[in-house]
Amino acid sequence: MRPSSHSLPHLPAFLERINTAAKKRVHTIQDYFTLAWNALRFIFARPFYAGDLVQQMDAIGVQSLGLVILTGFFTGAVLALQASVQLRTFGATIYIGRLVAGSVILELGPVLAGLMVAARVGSGIAAQLGSMKVTEQIDALNTLGTDPIKKLVTPRVLATLIMLPILTIINDAVGIFGGNVVAAVLLDVVPTPLYWRTVWEQIAAGGFSLRVIPNDFIQGLIKPLVFGGIISITACYFGLGTTGGTEGVGTSTTRTVVTASILILIVDYFLTQILLSVLGQ
Amino acid sequence: MADQPRDESLAPGGARDAPDAEAPAREPQAERRRDPAGTSDNARSPEPAQPRPRDEPMRPGQKFRAQDGDRTGRRDEDRRSGGHFRQAIREELASDRTAVRGRDANGDGVISEVIRLENVYLSFDRPILEDVSFSAHEGETIVVVGESGTGKSTTLKLILRLLVPDQGRVFIDGKDITGLSFNDALKERQKMGMVFQGAALFDSMSVFENIAYPLREHTEMTEEEIEARVREKLQFVDLDPDQVMPQLPSELSGGMKKRVGIARGMANNPEIMLYDEPTSGLDPLTTGTISRLIKKLQGELGVTSIVVSHDIRSSFFMASNIALLANRKICFFGTPEEMAASDDPYIRDFLGGL
């Protein structure tokens, strides 16, 4: 709200435009991280809106369950299908379990579950907060003495951080089971007990940290944690920044899903790099 | 009496309700249309002398033309001079206005200054307010009027500290709130109740939850006390508590939403009430109800109010002082009587235009 009032030397017109556009980008990123920081630190600040948290956990977690189960099952199933063809060249079809488990736990589970939840939950949060913004309900909250970040953003962020890893675990389990259904039952290239044995071999092959925690699980659970944060904060950022009436709500929703999805894919790469080097691979 | 038509509004030359002042002008026309065997002093006749206008549906392409005898809702004199409107203003000014004077609401023996804006400047991409100053005393109602987009709602947000001025200061109860932190400003707002333009009710909560919200946030009241207070406020705004409390905002009409918004704003018995266009988009009857409600709040509870309004008539009804915002400044601040008597061409335009 306070425009800067110091006088700067005048730049030529096109540089001025680039300057303004660049500043806008920087401000956007700054606002995004400010929102993220506030949302996270208010997890520990009073007042705690526990009722809202539980409600969001239901809306985000429990109600995304069907979606995640469906996605997971068919992902694992199609993986097994393709794998049976590819591995036949090497005569290695008994190792379908390793391929399915490895892909699902490390990448496909977190990323696909993340994208599905980004679409469903991200659009939902953005639309909800966007509608509240354009009908002045956010201002009303401020007027009634409630910090909208504490009441609206933090419960949603925390709920997503809790729920997405759980959803991913379910996704992974159903995916590997889907692979089992295709490989052992439909195509009959490997007997079921052998399938699950190879799955366990794959998990063990990644190594263990702290003696009992498989490294693959660490990768496969840190990713949903990060993705969950990205989804919820992006959704809240665009939702609370909605302008322009009902059309603005539509724009915010679209931008949320697109931005969150792209961020998930990009961050996935860099996160994998970091995790692989940290876990000593 | 039995042979007179039930619905006189369709009788041509409808001279019913013609007040005496207009009768001399009307009479000649009415005479012409009257049935020669005509009845009493009114120009009612069982058979119209001319075919009734609009008996036949209009043909496609036919233009509407008002004809003599059509009731267009305005008399010729009014259309030319805005006299009907001025008449309304005169009526408001002549009514009992003792209630709108400032009064000592908190009983400390002094009518103190509750709100003060001092040389406030504000701009977003373009300047919105330049050097705006005004003040409101206990028990007064200030109505802020002006053309759309002149920064009236922004003024309310400055008082609420939802916005920070670029220059200048805002005082509430003598305390400078301009430089306060977010959390301190949050506390200051407990003294104020705000009614938003669309009422801004939380649509995921019932009416009861909406009104109870400020009580739950800021007070330690028990559930019984909260319910009692919600009922009290709903009754104050003339709504039936049992019927309205379980409903969701989406099930309410516009007028009811506004009234619930007012109930929520006053739930905590604030000393300051702010209204953002409380009567816009409402039908005339509901507009009157809401205006009387605001005046009732002021009269019975001595609340200091700032009202942003487009409705000049109800502004005159409830204002102690009127602030006219134009060109980013307050170009008039004074009582409604002074405003009606002003010579300024812009003000005369503003009041005379409809």
Side-chain angles (χ1 to χ4, degrees):
Chain A
M1 298 308 156
R2 298 180 197 255
S4 76
S5 46
H6 21 268
S7 53
L8 293 163
H10 272 303
L11 296 168
F14 82 96
L15 277 186
E16 189 73 57
R17 276 203 298 274
I18 299 179
N19 189 25
T20 316
K23 275 197 208 163
K24 225 173 136 193
R25 294 284 178 279
V26 172
H27 281 147
T28 306
I29 298 178
Q30 177 185 336
D31 290 339
Y32 185 89
F33 280 102
T34 311
L35 179 65
W37 170 244
N38 281 329
L40 291 171
R41 79 180 165 104
F42 287 153
I43 294 178
F44 309 105
R46 291 182 185 280
F48 300 113
Y49 292 101
D52 290 280
L53 175 62
V54 172
Q55 199 185 15
Q56 290 305 316
M57 282 169 68
D58 175 50
I60 292 172
V62 176
Q63 292 180 24
S64 299
L65 205 51
L67 177 67
V68 149
I69 289 176
L70 257 163
T71 320
F73 181 83
F74 282 100
T75 305
V78 79
L79 255 181
L81 203 51
Q82 294 283 20
S84 69
V85 171
Q86 302 300 323
L87 290 177
R88 205 179 299 145
T89 351
F90 306 101
T93 47
I94 49 167
Y95 294 115
I96 279 188
R98 295 196 67 149
L99 193 148
V100 171
S103 318
V104 164
I105 292 177
L106 288 174
E107 283 300 329
L108 290 181
V111 173
L112 287 182
L115 291 176
M116 286 293 123
V117 168
R120 184 182 176 276
V121 166
S123 60
I125 293 178
Q128 199 173 33
L129 293 185
S131 315
M132 288 181 79
K133 178 85 191 338
V134 299
T135 50
E136 296 187 295
Q137 288 177 50
I138 308 288
D139 279 339
L141 275 176
N142 263 319
T143 314
L144 294 171
T146 303
D147 187 346
I149 313 266
K150 282 188 190 159
K151 171 132 179 109
L152 297 174
V153 176
T154 299
R156 284 167 172 76
V157 169
L158 190 54
T160 317
L161 288 175
I162 295 174
M163 281 299 165
L164 192 52
I166 299 176
L167 286 171
T168 305
I169 293 174
I170 296 174
N171 189 330
D172 294 350
V174 174
I176 298 175
F177 174 73
N180 182 16
V181 165
V182 166
V185 175
L186 281 172
L187 298 177
D188 204 11
V189 293
V190 59
T192 301
L194 182 56
Y195 177 85
W196 288 102
R197 171 109 182 248
T198 48
V199 167
W200 171 247
E201 274 174 22
Q202 174 64 27
I203 295 173
F208 290 84
S209 298
L210 298 179
R211 291 272 214 95
V212 287
I213 307 176
N215 287 335
D216 288 359
F217 282 12
I218 295 181
Q219 274 197 57
L221 287 180
I222 290 188
K223 283 187 185 176
L225 208 59
V226 175
F227 295 163
I230 291 176
I231 295 170
S232 50
I233 293 173
T234 308
C236 291
Y237 176 76
F238 282 115
L240 289 178
T242 307
T243 51
T246 48
E247 200 188 333
V249 176
T251 312
S252 294
T253 312
T254 312
R255 290 170 79 189
T256 298
V257 177
V258 170
T259 307
S261 305
I262 293 178
L263 278 178
I264 285 177
L265 291 170
I266 296 178
V267 169
D268 179 44
Y269 173 75
F270 291 104
L271 196 54
T272 310
Q273 276 269 35
I274 296 173
L275 285 171
L276 283 177
S277 65
V278 164
L279 292 170
Q281 290 160 9
Chain B
M1 295 293 252
D3 54 345
Q4 283 175 359
R6 294 262 93 209
D7 185 359
E8 284 122 12
S9 62
L10 293 177
R16 67 179 195 117
D17 296 344
D20 291 332
E22 318 296 328
R26 282 260 149 198
E27 216 97 301
Q29 290 176 359
E31 296 273 350
R32 257 180 274 128
R33 280 187 187 71
R34 208 188 302 204
D35 189 306
T39 45
S40 55
D41 27 334
N42 295 338
R44 293 173 200 157
S45 58
E47 281 146 36
Q50 288 179 350
R52 283 151 59 134
R54 310 287 164 259
D55 255 0
E56 292 137 22
M58 288 172 63
R59 296 184 306 279
Q62 180 184 16
K63 290 208 189 335
F64 176 85
R65 240 178 218 112
Q67 295 168 11
D68 291 338
D70 277 344
R71 282 172 53 90
T72 55
R74 264 196 231 175
R75 296 183 281 253
D76 286 324
E77 304 90 319
D78 302 333
R79 208 179 292 128
R80 276 195 296 277
S81 68
H84 170 77
F85 184 68
R86 290 191 179 282
Q87 177 70 15
I89 295 185
R90 266 176 250 133
E91 283 167 20
E92 295 302 349
L93 292 177
S95 63
D96 175 19
R97 295 183 39 76
T98 52
V100 303
R101 311 284 175 239
R103 49 183 266 193
D104 180 21
N106 59 10
D108 58 1
V110 170
I111 300 183
S112 53
E113 205 175 50
V114 173
I115 301 175
R116 182 159 102 239
L117 264 70
E118 209 175 74
N119 307 110
V120 162
Y121 287 74
L122 183 72
S123 58
F124 295 138
D125 326 319
R126 55 187 176 88
I128 310 245
L129 296 174
E130 280 171 12
D131 203 9
V132 164
S133 307
F134 69 87
S135 65
H137 296 82
E138 270 180 85
E140 278 186 351
T141 302
I142 311 276
V143 179
V144 181
V145 298
E147 292 176 48
S148 305
T150 46
K152 307 192 293 292
S153 304
T154 316
T155 313
L156 286 182
K157 291 193 177 161
L158 283 170
I159 296 174
L160 273 173
R161 241 307 294 265
L162 288 174
L163 292 175
V164 181
D166 299 328
Q167 288 180 48
R169 297 191 294 175
V170 179
F171 294 86
I172 303 287
D173 273 343
K175 179 174 171 186
D176 186 356
I177 64 167
T178 328
L180 288 184
S181 70
F182 184 81
N183 281 325
D184 292 334
L186 223 51
K187 286 200 208 92
E188 284 300 312
R189 281 183 211 128
Q190 293 179 29
K191 293 187 203 160
M192 309 185 218
M194 168 98 176
V195 181
F196 290 88
Q197 197 168 339
L201 300 177
F202 302 127
D203 33 21
S204 53
M205 303 184 206
S206 68
V207 165
F208 176 78
E209 297 292 324
N210 263 287
I211 303 179
Y213 188 82
L215 301 174
R216 294 219 172 100
E217 278 291 305
H218 298 304
T219 66
E220 306 286 333
M221 294 166 79
T222 64
E223 282 304 306
E224 293 88 35
E225 289 171 352
I226 289 181
E227 181 167 346
R229 179 77 74 89
V230 170
R231 283 179 177 275
E232 174 199 332
K233 297 306 174 194
L234 280 172
Q235 269 154 2
F236 191 89
V237 301
D238 253 344
L239 285 172
D240 177 10
D242 292 302
Q243 194 203 348
V244 151
M245 281 196 316
Q247 289 185 306
L248 289 174
S250 50
E251 299 166 24
L252 303 175
S253 72
M256 289 168 81
K257 274 191 214 170
K258 284 266 165 80
R259 284 189 266 175
V260 173
I262 295 177
R264 183 178 72 178
M266 29 177 301
N268 238 338
N269 293 327
E271 54 184 68
I272 302 174
M273 281 289 282
L274 305 164
Y275 303 85
D276 192 352
E277 299 197 27
T279 57
S280 70
L282 296 179
D283 63 87
L285 289 175
T286 319
T287 301
T289 310
I290 302 280
S291 307
R292 278 189 292 277
L293 199 48
I294 296 177
K295 198 162 174 191
K296 183 178 165 191
L297 258 174
Q298 178 198 20
E300 286 183 20
L301 304 179
V303 169
T304 312
S305 311
I306 312 258
V307 182
V308 167
S309 182
H310 276 267
D311 185 354
I312 301 293
R313 175 163 192 166
S314 50
S315 309
F316 272 63
F317 175 65
M318 46 186 178
S320 328
N321 280 315
I322 298 190
L324 175 57
L325 261 178
N327 288 334
R328 300 178 288 281
K329 295 187 178 29
I330 297 196
C331 72
F332 174 86
F333 187 85
T335 65
E337 292 89 352
E338 289 166 11
M339 192 176 195
S342 163
D343 282 334
D344 186 278
Y346 181 74
I347 295 181
R348 298 217 73 73
D349 244 345
F350 198 83
L351 291 183
L354 266 174

